Amino acid sequence: MEKHLGALSVAARFLRGLDVAGTVDRLRPGRDIAHVTHGQVIEVLMVNRSAAPWRRVDRWAREWAVEDDFGTQAQPLDDDRLGQAADAIAPHLRKLTDSVGVLAIGEFGSSRSGSGPGVTGDGGIPLLSRVIDGGAAEISQIIGTMNAPRAIAGPKEFQPIADSKLISSGNVAALIKVGDRFHRPGPHFQVDDAVYAALDLEVATVVDHSPVRDEDIPAAERETCRVLEDVATGRT
């Protein structure tokens, strides 16, 4: 029977090197009579999400060489079994992320400090996973998100990157206390129009960036973005 291969062999090598299935099964052992373990299901789901929609995974696994590369049969991978595995790991996502993240750093040597919440400096390895209530205010999540990677990595330099919800007196005080630099856009309505009018475009740096929406527009007709660095003081 002819099956699709794609990048399954490469994915299997990486996932086995990071011990994803083993980590899941140690955190959430399944029943001995199960056809596939929670770890095997999650491993296959990770590959499936990079190659196809999460729909009829059992049929996808039959058409692709999943059994050959992962040793996992397609028949047990129905919607019920996928849901059971997802429910099983939900309470352990933080430990799972921490464990796999540490192995990834050891495997690939990416140990730079975070350039954004939850990832290493090169952006390649997520170190923080957290599910937050949809009704929770973003502004109240900053300090917890900031402290979680520090608890994992110890004394490191972090640079939180966020939208305008980063700014509150409590958040800024916490960032200043630990000496972290942070990045966030400033709402334009907080800056007086006279400030913009007085800017000298001749000394501004042209940014080599073009929005995706302008890709089909001739370069000479595209908008030009310029950047000026300044220091502003004010009250939060």
Side-chain angles (χ1 to χ4, degrees), residues 60-165:
W60 168 82
R62 282 194 295 270
E63 296 173 353
W64 287 67
V66 170
E67 184 174 353
D68 301 274
D69 280 310
F70 291 88
T72 303
Q73 296 181 358
Q75 187 272 332
L77 301 174
D78 57 21
D79 290 346
D80 289 339
R81 186 64 186 88
L82 303 183
Q84 291 170 5
D87 287 342
I89 68 168
H92 307 283
L93 287 178
R94 184 170 179 177
K95 289 183 179 179
L96 177 60
T97 303
D98 292 354
S99 299
V100 175
V102 169
L103 286 173
I105 290 173
E107 180 76 15
F108 303 110
S110 297
S111 56
R112 298 164 58 188
S113 60
S115 62
V119 299
T120 54
D122 58 11
I125 301 175
L127 298 177
L128 174 65
S129 175
R130 178 178 296 175
V131 179
I132 299 172
D133 189 295
E138 291 180 49
I139 202 167
S140 66
Q141 309 302 319
I142 301 298
I143 295 178
T145 301
M146 177 184 73
N147 290 333
R150 183 172 283 106
I152 300 170
K156 298 286 185 182
E157 179 185 350
F158 292 91
Q159 292 192 31
I161 300 174
D163 59 17
S164 58
K165 298 297 190 298

Side-chain angles (χ1 to χ4, degrees), residues 146-222:
M146 177 184 73
N147 290 333
R150 183 172 283 106
I152 300 170
K156 298 286 185 182
E157 179 185 350
F158 292 91
Q159 292 192 31
I161 300 174
D163 59 17
S164 58
K165 298 297 190 298
L166 171 70
I167 299 301
S168 73
S169 57
N171 291 343
V172 173
L175 289 164
I176 292 174
K177 182 178 180 180
V178 297
D180 280 351
R181 300 178 62 185
F182 58 90
H183 305 267
R184 71 102 189 187
H188 67 87
F189 57 80
Q190 291 184 357
V191 181
D192 191 274
D193 290 342
V195 175
Y196 291 119
L199 295 177
D200 186 354
L201 295 181
E202 295 302 320
V203 299
T205 302
V206 178
V207 179
D208 184 17
H209 168 75
S210 179
V212 175
R213 64 177 181 272
D214 292 345
E215 287 182 348
D216 297 329
I217 300 176
E221 299 178 16
R222 296 175 186 171

